[in-house]
Amino acid sequence: MVAIAMPKPDRSVMDRREEIVAALQAIVPGEGVISDDTEMRPYETDALTAYRQMPLIVVLPETVDQVSRVLRYCHENGVKVVPRGAGTSLSGGALPLADGVLMSMMKFNRVLDIDFPNRAVVVQPGVTNLGITRAVEHEGFYYAPDPSSQIACSIGGNIAENSGGVHSLKYGLTTNNVLGLEMVLITGEVIRLGGKHLDSEGYDLLGLMTGSEGLLAVVTEVTVRILQKPETARALLVGFPSSEDGGRCVAEIIAKGIIPGGLEMMDKPAIHAAEAFVNAGYPLDVEALLIVELDGPEAEVDYLIERVESIARENNASDLRISTSEEERMTFWAGRKAAFPAVGRISPDYLCMDGTIPRKELPKVLARMRELSEKHGLGVANVFHAGDGNLHPLILYDANKPGELEAAEAFGADILRLCVEVGGVLTGEHGVGIEKRDLMTDMFTEDDLKQQQRVKCAFDEKHLLNPGKVFPVLHRCAELGRMHVHKGKLPFPDIPRF
């Protein structure tokens, strides 16, 4: 475990722990409040397990009214709140605070409404991503975003991080598939955004909430769009003698106007780990492997497969297989879906990074990543959503060896800086959390970050919701609201001021 700078715990709040526990137990009776250290231990970290912190208290509300009353109490008494879903965050987004209440939303686990005519499903935030598809697949529908953790991750957490998945290239991220939200502000106010209708009037607050990492409100209900399963889906498994060849093939497929349902890439270490784990039949004599899924009407799929096969061979493909059955297509995907746990078998520990780059920069970035691997003396396995340039390098290290965790963090920071350098961004779908927080100044100016914090202030002026995440430097809302007077002149003097 390593230390990371977080807001200094408020001793006055910690001294009132028993009082706060009693107040929360009055709101959420029975087993809804956890204050015993042993029972709180499972909540001390999320999937970024290098960082741990015991919460002050854990509360598990079951109703919107309880969420509202808990948040109102915390607002009135200056108590911080960290919302948590399934705890699968890879950026430390749900890391607790020593002086904060951890609010687990996993008792909100019901599917509330399935509306096939409007192709919409209303669920509570604790329903798993895969649970939505399971609820509608009997009628030939599914929920498109499919992160690797879909069997466990909650839809509320997907909203917080704007999660993607292997099919996001064609069907979009969470933000493209969410129609409405019910959420509770830190003041306890319950508000609704959007709904089953196609679009909403006014500002796009729904888009603002999706990816807000628990800093603006607590989501209590989600309306998502469901899609009808395509008539046909087939996949190509394509091996290349180098990652650069694979990268060029990806860029050319998109440049030719072909948008696959999924377009994933793995390098040699990831290929070998996945094959040993699931026996998917991956070729072991290649440096890079592409999985290209094409879906739609059968005639269209057959035509696109021919085009992709031609593009792959022009880019030096050394191994190429085309699925001939649904079972074989699912086998192709099995290794990719299991890549993260598979890598866990070849390394005691690993850090899963998440940066996004322009597709054309793939060959350059992969080459530079190998140089960084040598510089830091650590291995790396690459598994990523190649179609949209969302990289997931897995940095291999052993936390029991002195200095290796620090080296892994430095390696990861260099990878993310490289993403920004080539015109990309720090995160694609895992969020900023604490993992990338201190790199935000590599991508944004101070003015950029202050403007983002002004949005935070509009929702949570006391900075009580999930503080210490996303922003490397916190500013008081009053400070951000100060008016700049230059040479005795106010900006925009024609605007009425009250």
Side-chain angles (χ1 to χ4, degrees):
M1 185 180 74
V2 297
I4 187 166
M6 294 294 286
K8 187 177 179 180
D10 186 335
R11 177 52 59 183
S12 67
V13 170
M14 298 175 74
D15 290 342
R16 289 187 283 124
R17 184 172 187 269
E18 291 186 11
E19 172 193 324
I20 297 168
V21 169
L24 295 182
Q25 286 175 333
I27 298 171
V28 188
E31 299 181 346
V33 176
I34 302 174
S35 57
D36 177 78
D37 281 355
T38 302
E39 294 179 357
M40 290 196 299
R41 187 68 62 184
Y43 297 94
E44 69 176 349
T45 187
D46 54 19
L48 187 65
T49 55
Y51 305 99
R52 298 173 187 271
Q53 169 63 59
M54 288 288 285
L56 181 70
I57 306 162
V58 176
V59 62
L60 296 91
E62 296 184 58
T63 68
V64 177
D65 180 64
Q66 288 177 348
V67 172
S68 174
R69 290 169 63 195
V70 168
L71 291 178
R72 185 183 304 116
Y73 171 83
C74 290
H75 181 257
E76 291 172 351
N77 291 274
V79 181
K80 302 180 182 78
V81 180
V82 176
R84 177 186 169 108
T88 59
S89 168
L90 287 160
S91 63
L95 184 74
L97 297 168
D99 60 341
V101 171
L102 185 81
M103 179 180 282
S104 170
M105 297 299 292
M106 293 310 288
K107 286 193 174 183
F108 280 71
N109 56 10
R110 292 185 299 126
V111 176
L112 301 175
D113 180 42
I114 298 174
D115 186 347
F116 288 116
N118 283 312
R119 299 195 174 193
V121 175
V122 182
V123 298
Q124 293 183 317
V127 173
T128 64
N129 174 288
L130 188 58
I132 299 175
T133 292
R134 291 281 184 262
V136 299
E137 62 186 358
H138 64 284
E139 291 289 340
F141 285 83
Y142 73 111
Y143 177 62
D146 54 344
S148 294
S149 59
Q150 66 180 148
I151 193 172
C153 65
S154 69
I155 191 65
N158 290 178
I159 296 289
E161 307 293 3
N162 191 21
S163 303
V166 299
H167 291 96
S168 293
L169 172 64
K170 184 173 184 178
Y171 296 106
L173 301 164
T174 299
T175 190
N176 307 110
N177 291 274
V178 172
L179 298 172
L181 295 175
E182 177 188 75
M183 62 189 200
V184 185
L185 303 181
I186 187 64
T187 55
E189 296 170 271
V190 181
I191 63 174
R192 283 187 172 272
L193 303 174
K196 293 180 183 179
H197 46 281
L198 182 61
D199 208 348
S200 301
E201 68 287 345
Y203 292 121
D204 183 16
L205 296 179
L206 189 61
L208 179 65
M209 277 299 300
T210 308
S212 59
E213 303 198 31
L215 271 70
L216 304 183
V218 175
V219 173
T220 51
E221 184 184 289
V222 184
T223 302
V224 299
R225 174 186 292 112
I226 54 173
L227 302 176
Q228 199 156 22
K229 288 185 177 179
E231 174 188 322
T232 304
R234 295 175 66 193
L236 295 89
L237 194 67
V238 191
F240 294 90
S242 73
S243 294
E244 287 77 11
D245 287 328
R248 280 190 291 270
C249 182
V250 168
E252 191 168 335
I253 288 172
I254 303 299
K256 296 290 187 182
I258 301 169
I259 306 298
L263 181 50
E264 300 289 301
M265 188 169 173
M266 303 162 68
D267 68 2
K268 192 167 188 175
I271 296 166
H272 282 247
E275 177 59 20
F277 192 47
V278 301
N279 298 311
Y282 290 170
L284 300 178
D285 58 346
V286 299
E287 292 294 326
L289 189 67
L290 280 186
I291 304 174
V292 188
E293 181 167 291
L294 300 158
D295 59 18
E298 185 175 358
E300 178 185 352
V301 170
D302 290 342
Y303 169 70
L304 291 176
I305 282 177
E306 290 181 5
R307 291 192 63 192
V308 171
E309 181 179 5
S310 174
I311 293 169
R313 297 199 184 283
E314 289 170 3
N315 283 277
N316 304 320
S318 56
D319 191 286
L320 194 149
R321 289 167 52 195
I322 302 170
S323 66
T324 56
S325 66
E326 178 65 7
E327 181 182 4
E328 188 174 23
R329 181 183 75 86
M330 295 303 293
T331 300
F332 286 0
W333 281 114
R336 168 60 186 90
K337 286 283 189 177
F340 289 4
V343 169
R345 299 178 72 197
I346 64 172
S347 176
D349 302 281
Y350 68 80
L351 285 181
C352 177
M353 308 308 296
D354 167 53
T356 301
I357 61 171
R359 281 182 293 265
K360 68 176 184 178
E361 301 292 348
L362 269 173
K364 175 182 176 180
V365 168
L366 292 172
R368 288 275 299 277
M369 220 179 284
R370 283 195 293 272
E371 295 173 6
L372 291 172
S373 177
E374 293 179 9
K375 170 187 171 183
H376 292 282
L378 296 174
V380 61
N382 279 293
V383 181
F384 50 89
H385 310 310
D388 52 17
N390 186 196
L391 310 180
H392 292 315
L394 307 176
I395 300 171
L396 315 180
Y397 72 98
D398 185 346
N400 291 319
K401 293 183 179 179
E404 282 212 357
L405 175 54
E406 291 75 14
E409 290 182 310
F411 187 0
D414 280 348
I415 289 174
L416 295 175
R417 291 190 186 100
L418 173 61
C419 291
V420 175
E421 177 189 321
V422 300
V425 295
L426 292 172
T427 180
E429 57 173 338
H430 292 176
V432 175
I434 57 169
E435 178 204 29
K436 308 177 188 74
R437 181 195 66 189
D438 297 339
L439 294 171
M440 288 285 276
T441 52
D442 286 85
M443 182 172 171
F444 297 105
T445 66
E446 184 180 357
D447 285 343
D448 291 336
L449 292 171
K450 284 183 177 179
Q451 193 66 15
Q452 291 181 38
Q453 287 190 59
R454 289 186 178 97
V455 175
K456 162 76 167 167
C457 290
F459 286 82
D460 175 23
E461 64 178 9
K462 294 182 181 180
H463 289 296
L464 295 176
L465 273 176
N466 217 9
K469 317 292 171 61
V470 180
F471 299 112
V473 178
L474 291 177
H475 296 275
R476 295 180 185 275
C477 291
E479 174 189 351
L480 292 170
R482 288 174 182 161
M483 186 178 297
H484 178 64
V485 180
H486 181 63
K487 293 184 177 180
K489 295 181 179 180
L490 292 172
F492 309 108
D494 55 316
I495 296 178
R497 304 186 188 279
F498 304 98

